[in-house]
């Protein structure tokens, strides 16, 4: 099989139980998903287990992919994120959720030197990253809690002792700015990867 | 990417993408999707790219080959995927597994050492028991011999009287001249000074005294001695007890405490 086939074609073939297509899709995206999950868990074992669960779901549910819900890789990240949040929630089921520490809030805003170095080699990535880093801390914090740590907006509201409307506004504004950064990137490169 | 979404969904879509929309907002969006609103769908698709780009901005990490191998194996044997997909237990709780393994090893080692020690203790105890049994058997045999000797017709009873050094003391000899054996019992002998013993003598007519054994009185001031042999046993006429240095003397050197004749 041609390793250069588009992701959408890959998913289509995976839905037809083509193992080779799955292999190509895995090789293409697993490193990115694992990096994302490591960011979420800061824990190699959890990240690797969720990575495996994510791709198993891809194998089982690829027929459910709907092009109207975004690109295959965006769908993949959404699955990884959902599985990751499920695991976090399961783990915290029997214990009180920790108050968000300033250190963990900086996970995204203070990337490791190796991450920075990697990003600087990739101008496309840098645009989004810079946009993320330039978000007002309260917007970044709200997005962090909701997206990476799986808190509902209501939980974020209680955790930060702020009205629910304020939290939603912060997330909307933050996501809007990231969206604008993405638009800037697309316009400079001619398309979304 | 220049579509302008419907106003209300411009607010809702970021919440949906970040997983924080309420059920009502999700339902609203589901209904709106059915209208095939191109602007909103496009906005949603673009917004979905934000987390993706976010993920892409993190450092990629090469997964361990085992993960892909497990997935492909599970695909090959889809029916048995659960056990194949399961991470090795030690990956999930490596510390606990390792701790259990070390604990078991340590327990086993302790058990072996304890068993070894117990075996040695048992062997020592068995040896002690053997010794005690042997001693008891010897004592029993001795008493049986004593009884047998006392029952013999030719055994004579010789009484010994206390002398000035121990006037209240007394003694008896059960003497069998025929086989040159006998038993001596003493009563109310004074305690011995340090380094001294009592020595029994047999004295035959016209002969020098012959030592027949040494003894020390017990806490009841009694002493028992077996006489194994004597020179000229048939000629023995007198038994006497003197105090001598430890180990006894070839000839009497100390005071005489008891004396008696046949």
């Amino acid at each position: 099989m041609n390793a250069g086939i588009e992701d959408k074609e890959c998913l289509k073939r995976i839905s037809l139980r083509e193992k080779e297509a799955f292999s190509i899709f895995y090789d293409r995206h697993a490193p990115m998903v694992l990096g994302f999950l490591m960011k979420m868990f800061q824990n190699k074992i959890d990240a690797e287990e969720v990575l495996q669960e994510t791709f198993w779901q891809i194998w089982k549910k690829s027929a459910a992919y709907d092009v109207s819900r975004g690109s295959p890789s965006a769908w993949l990240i959404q699955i990884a994120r959902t599985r990751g949040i499920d695991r976090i929630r399961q783990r915290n089921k029997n214990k009180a959720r920790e108050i968000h520490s300033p250190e963990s809030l900086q996970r995204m805003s203070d990337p490791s030197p190796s991450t920075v170095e990697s990003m600087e080699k990739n101008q496309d990535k840098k645009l989004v990253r810079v946009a993320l880093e330039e978000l007002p801390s309260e917007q970044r914090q709200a997005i962090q809690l909701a997206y990476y740590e799986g808190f509902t907006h209501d939980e974020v509201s209680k955790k930060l002792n702020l009205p629910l409307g304020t939290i939603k506004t912060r997330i909307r504004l933050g996501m809007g700015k990231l969206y604008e950064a993405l638009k800037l990137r697309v316009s400079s490169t001619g398309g979304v990867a | 990417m220049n579509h302008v979404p419907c106003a209300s969904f411009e607010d809702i879509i970021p919440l949906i993408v970040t997983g924080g929309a309420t059920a009502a907002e999700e339902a609203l969006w589901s209904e709106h999707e059915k209208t095939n609103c191109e602007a909103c769908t496009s906005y949603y698709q673009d917004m979905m790219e934000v987390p993706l780009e976010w993920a892409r901005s993190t450092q990629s990490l090469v997964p361990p080959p085992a993960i892909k191998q497990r997935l492909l194996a599970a695909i090959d044997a889809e029916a048995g995927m659960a056990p194949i997909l399961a991470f090795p237990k030690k990956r999930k709780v490596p510390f606990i597994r390792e701790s259990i393994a070390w604990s078991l090893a340590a327990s086993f080692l302790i058990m072996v050492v304890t068993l070894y020690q117990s075996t040695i203790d048992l062997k020592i105890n068995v040896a002690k028991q053997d010794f005690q049994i042997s001693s008891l058997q010897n004592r029993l045999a001795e008493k049986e011999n004593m009884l047998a000797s006392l029952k013999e017709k030719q055994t004579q009873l010789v009484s010994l009287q206390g002398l000035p050094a121990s006037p209240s003391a007394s003694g008896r000899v059960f003497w069998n001249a025929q086989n040159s054996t006998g038993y001596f019992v003493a009563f109310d002998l004074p305690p011995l000074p340090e380094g001294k013993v009592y020595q029994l003598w047999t004295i035959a007519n016209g002969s020098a005294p012959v030592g027949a054994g040494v003894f020390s009185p017990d806490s009841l001031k009694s002493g028992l001695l077996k006489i194994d042999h004597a020179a000229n046993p048939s000629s023995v006429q007198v038994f006497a007890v003197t105090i001598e240095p430890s180990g006894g003397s070839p000839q009497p050197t100390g005071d005489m405490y008891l004396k008696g004749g046949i």
Side-chain angles (χ1 to χ4, degrees):
Chain A
M1 181 182 288
N2 182 3
I5 59 170
E6 295 287 332
D7 280 346
K8 287 175 187 171
E9 179 64 18
C10 254
L11 284 181
K12 186 179 173 185
R13 294 189 183 185
I14 290 170
S15 71
L16 298 172
R17 323 315 285 158
E18 285 190 23
K19 184 177 161 186
E20 196 177 345
F22 175 83
S23 179
I24 291 169
F25 193 75
Y26 179 91
D27 290 342
R28 187 177 292 165
H29 297 295
M32 181 262 293
V33 176
L34 184 58
F36 170 79
L37 291 170
M38 275 295 288
K39 201 73 169 174
M40 178 177 273
F41 287 106
Q42 302 289 304
N43 172 315
K44 191 178 174 189
I45 292 172
D46 283 327
E48 288 178 358
E49 287 187 1
V50 174
L51 174 74
Q52 182 173 283
E53 291 171 7
T54 300
F55 275 91
W56 185 246
Q57 187 169 336
I58 290 291
W59 172 255
K60 299 293 282 183
K61 307 285 184 185
S62 55
Y65 170 66
D66 178 358
V67 69
S68 71
R69 307 301 295 263
S71 66
S73 45
W75 184 60
L76 172 65
I77 284 296
Q78 188 184 35
I79 291 172
R81 186 250 178 196
T82 303
R83 304 294 305 213
I85 296 301
D86 285 348
R87 175 166 291 229
I88 289 171
R89 286 183 174 157
Q90 183 66 31
R91 184 155 296 167
N92 293 338
K93 196 175 177 181
N94 298 322
K95 67 176 185 180
R97 299 289 294 273
E98 291 176 6
I99 296 297
H100 202 61
S101 65
E103 290 78 12
S104 61
L105 280 173
Q106 287 185 340
R107 277 184 211 158
M108 293 164 57
S109 56
D110 296 331
S112 63
S114 58
T115 305
V116 172
E117 189 181 343
S118 169
M119 282 157 38
E120 284 174 350
K121 289 176 183 172
N122 190 328
Q123 190 65 18
D124 293 346
K125 291 181 179 179
K126 195 176 177 184
L127 283 171
V128 177
R129 186 71 193 185
V130 167
L132 178 63
E133 289 170 359
E134 286 180 350
L135 283 180
S137 62
E138 66 271 16
Q139 292 173 15
R140 193 169 61 236
Q141 182 187 39
I143 292 171
Q144 161 88 6
L145 286 168
Y147 188 75
Y148 267 96
E149 303 199 19
F151 289 101
T152 65
H153 289 186
D154 195 43
E155 287 172 333
V156 176
S157 162
K158 288 173 182 166
K159 195 165 286 294
L160 301 181
N161 199 25
L162 290 168
L164 179 60
T166 303
I167 298 303
K168 291 192 173 198
T169 300
R170 287 182 178 180
I171 289 173
R172 271 197 302 270
L173 291 173
M175 289 296 284
K177 285 176 185 172
L178 293 172
Y179 171 75
E180 291 300 323
L182 180 63
K183 271 174 55 176
L184 182 61
R185 177 197 150 191
V186 171
S187 64
S188 65
T189 59
V192 175
Chain B
M1 245 187 164
N2 294 317
H3 305 281
V4 179
C6 303
S8 57
F9 292 103
E10 191 174 9
D11 288 344
I12 290 173
I13 287 171
L15 304 180
I16 292 172
V17 169
T18 54
T22 63
E25 288 165 338
E26 292 271 10
L28 202 59
W29 169 240
S30 291
E31 282 301 310
H32 189 66
E33 271 191 308
K34 292 174 187 170
T35 66
N36 294 320
C37 173
E38 189 181 346
C40 284
T41 300
S42 179
Y43 182 72
Y44 177 89
Q45 290 172 344
D46 291 344
M47 193 58 80
M48 283 290 287
E49 296 295 321
V50 172
L52 174 63
E53 294 307 311
W54 203 343
R56 282 179 173 154
S57 72
T58 61
Q59 189 176 26
S60 294
L61 297 169
V62 177
I67 295 176
K68 186 178 178 185
Q69 288 166 8
R70 277 195 293 272
L71 286 163
L72 295 180
I75 288 169
D76 286 339
E78 199 160 345
M81 66 156 187
I84 293 170
L85 272 178
F87 264 76
K89 291 283 184 189
K90 68 176 183 179
R91 287 180 58 80
K92 268 195 161 181
V93 283
F95 177 73
I96 294 172
R97 283 291 296 267
E98 192 173 330
S99 298
I100 290 171
W102 279 109
S103 298
L104 286 173
S107 301
F108 181 73
L109 185 61
I110 290 168
M111 189 175 71
V112 168
V113 170
T114 305
L115 278 174
Y116 178 72
Q117 187 61 46
S118 299
T119 304
I120 289 174
D121 290 345
L122 277 173
K123 283 182 176 175
I124 291 171
N125 282 335
V126 167
K128 283 180 181 175
Q129 302 274 354
D130 284 347
F131 178 76
Q132 285 177 343
I133 289 169
S134 176
S135 297
L136 287 169
Q137 285 174 336
N138 288 340
R139 286 169 64 185
L140 181 61
E142 186 63 40
K143 289 186 187 303
E144 285 175 347
N145 288 339
M146 189 187 296
L147 277 174
S149 178
L150 292 175
K151 283 162 66 180
E152 287 185 13
K153 189 176 177 181
Q154 59 270 32
T155 296
Q156 296 176 278
L157 174 62
V158 181
S159 293
L160 284 73
Q161 307 300 319
L163 298 177
S166 57
S168 60
S170 62
R172 289 182 198 119
V173 173
F174 301 89
W175 177 242
N176 188 327
Q178 194 170 344
N179 54 22
S180 187
T181 58
Y183 291 92
F184 167 70
V185 188
F187 306 98
D188 298 327
L189 280 169
L192 285 164
E194 181 119 7
K196 298 288 185 178
V197 291
Y198 288 113
Q199 187 164 5
L200 178 69
W201 303 93
T202 58
I203 305 168
N205 281 336
S207 300
V210 175
V214 297
F215 65 95
S216 298
D218 60 19
S219 59
L220 298 175
K221 300 180 182 177
S222 295
L224 174 65
L225 184 65
K226 182 185 178 188
I227 304 167
D228 285 327
H229 65 278
N232 300 318
S234 57
S235 304
V236 170
Q237 294 295 316
V238 176
F239 294 91
V241 171
T242 60
I243 187 165
E244 302 293 337
S246 289
S249 301
Q251 292 298 319
T253 58
D255 293 338
M256 189 175 291
Y257 281 69
L258 291 171
K259 184 180 179 185
I262 296 172

